[in-house]
């Protein structure tokens, strides 16, 4: 077995999972502000790579995202691992405080979870935003009016939901069975959800800065 690139003694990794539109990105901003997390959204990194001039993966990523399918993990894990290295290079984790990474929207499949923990860094815990599809669908259709995201249309949303239920929920279940999940109801206002997250973190011994 290979040695992970980063040690949990030097960095903390928290996964943030939840269905499409459950509020991962929105709540990440709160967590960055109050808990000093460095936010790494796997979806944002993939969209940036898709647009990067000269990327050999641009077309592939575009197609996978529109179809709500999961991009081959080697691509996503390399983007995440390099983003972590960049943040550390730029000084994160210096000054006596461990760097805390909030990895949003990853791992989406069981083998990704194993691969990341074996090669990049074992995770400390998983925050799971639990949200009914009707609520997520309404949020995404509304955002789709202005987002310009290729996957914010009714058909792509349906496919994203299916992938989430069939492929990504098993990750949440496995992390839950390992006692690593903080599960939070993600309905109601942004503030309501954030208050529940703060409670869940407190109970788990994770404190704001
Ligand atoms: N909103 C948020 N919270 C609200 C609240 N409490 N009340 C009312 N409105 C609320 O929120 C979505 C919308 O809802 C926003 O308009 C927000 O204002 C509002 P957001 O915070 O963006 O939710 P989020 O869960 O981040 O939704 P997102 O659409 O980003 O989730 P996805 O999981 O679908 O998207 P992601 O970018 O992670 O992945 C996209 C695709 O990339 C995947 O489908 C897949 O094809 C690919 N991908 C991979 O292949 N591998 C990966 O590892 C990651 C992604
Ligand atoms: Mg998001």
């Amino acid at each position: 077995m290979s040695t992970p690139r980063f040690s949990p003694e030097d960095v903390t990794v928290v996964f943030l999972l939840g269905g499409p539109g459950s509020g991962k990105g929105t709540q990440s901003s709160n967590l960055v502000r109050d808990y000093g997390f460095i936010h790494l959204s796997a979806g944002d990194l993939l969209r940036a790579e898709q647009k990067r001039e000269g990327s050999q993966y641009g077309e592939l990523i575009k197609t996978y995202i529109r179809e709500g399918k999961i991009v081959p993990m080697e691509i996503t894990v390399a983007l995440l691992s390099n983003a972590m290295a960049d943040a550390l290079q730029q000084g994160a984790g210096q000054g006596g405080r461990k760097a805390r990474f909030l990895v949003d929207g990853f791992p989406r499949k069981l083998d990704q979870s194993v691969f990341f923990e074996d090669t990049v860094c074992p995770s400390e815990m998983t925050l799971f935003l639990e949200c009914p599809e009707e609520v997520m669908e309404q949020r995404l259709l509304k955002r789709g009016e202005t987002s310009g995201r290729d996957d914010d249309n009714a058909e792509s949303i349906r496919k994203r939901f299916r992938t989430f239920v069939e492929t990504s929920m098993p990750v949440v279940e496995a992390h839950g069975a390992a006692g690593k999940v903080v599960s939070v109801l993600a309905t109601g206002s942004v503030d309501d959800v954030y208050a529940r997250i703060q409670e869940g973190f407190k109970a788990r011994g994770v404190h704001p800065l």
Side-chain angles (χ1 to χ4, degrees), residues 19-83:
S22 57
K24 300 184 291 296
T26 304
Q27 297 299 335
S28 290
S29 311
N30 288 330
L31 291 165
V32 166
R33 185 193 59 220
D34 297 338
Y35 290 79
F37 278 107
I38 297 159
H39 177 222
L40 299 179
S41 158
D44 287 351
L45 288 167
L46 286 167
R47 282 182 288 274
E49 176 65 18
Q50 181 206 314
K51 290 190 193 116
R52 187 173 64 82
E53 205 168 321
S55 168
Q56 62 183 127
Y57 303 120
E59 273 310 305
L60 180 150
I61 293 172
K62 192 180 170 70
T63 310
Y64 272 73
I65 287 185
R66 199 185 46 233
E67 292 301 315
K69 293 197 325 196
I70 297 165
V71 173
M73 68 175 162
E74 288 72 13
I75 299 175
T76 317
V77 171
L79 292 170
L80 286 169
S81 179
N82 291 338

Side-chain angles (χ1 to χ4, degrees), residues 44-189:
D44 287 351
L45 288 167
L46 286 167
R47 282 182 288 274
E49 176 65 18
Q50 181 206 314
K51 290 190 193 116
R52 187 173 64 82
E53 205 168 321
S55 168
Q56 62 183 127
Y57 303 120
E59 273 310 305
L60 180 150
I61 293 172
K62 192 180 170 70
T63 310
Y64 272 73
I65 287 185
R66 199 185 46 233
E67 292 301 315
K69 293 197 325 196
I70 297 165
V71 173
M73 68 175 162
E74 288 72 13
I75 299 175
T76 317
V77 171
L79 292 170
L80 286 169
S81 179
N82 291 338
M84 286 173 68
D86 286 349
L88 293 170
Q89 180 98 40
Q90 284 161 27
Q94 285 171 11
R97 200 165 46 81
K98 256 203 297 186
R100 286 175 164 179
F101 291 99
L102 186 63
V103 177
D104 159 357
F106 177 93
R108 290 175 114 90
K109 207 172 167 187
L110 269 177
D111 61 349
Q112 300 190 335
S113 173
V114 175
F115 182 64
F116 183 93
E117 296 209 323
D118 283 353
T119 62
V120 182
C121 189
S123 69
E124 168 122 341
M125 65 173 198
T126 297
L127 172 61
F128 173 55
L129 300 182
E130 187 190 348
C131 199
E133 280 188 6
E134 308 81 69
V135 175
M136 299 194 288
E137 184 184 31
Q138 273 181 12
R139 290 178 186 170
L140 292 175
L141 288 172
K142 179 152 182 279
R143 186 180 67 186
E145 292 167 11
T146 53
S147 70
R149 260 177 67 159
D150 290 339
D151 58 349
D152 277 348
N153 57 76
E155 196 187 335
S156 294
I157 290 169
R158 212 167 27 249
K159 291 176 177 170
R160 289 156 73 193
F161 284 168
R162 193 177 321 135
T163 302
F164 179 73
V165 171
E166 289 174 358
T167 312
S168 304
M169 267 313 286
V171 177
V172 179
E173 282 153 14
H175 290 199
K180 290 176 91 172
V181 172
V182 171
S183 191
V184 164
L185 184 66
T187 56
S189 72

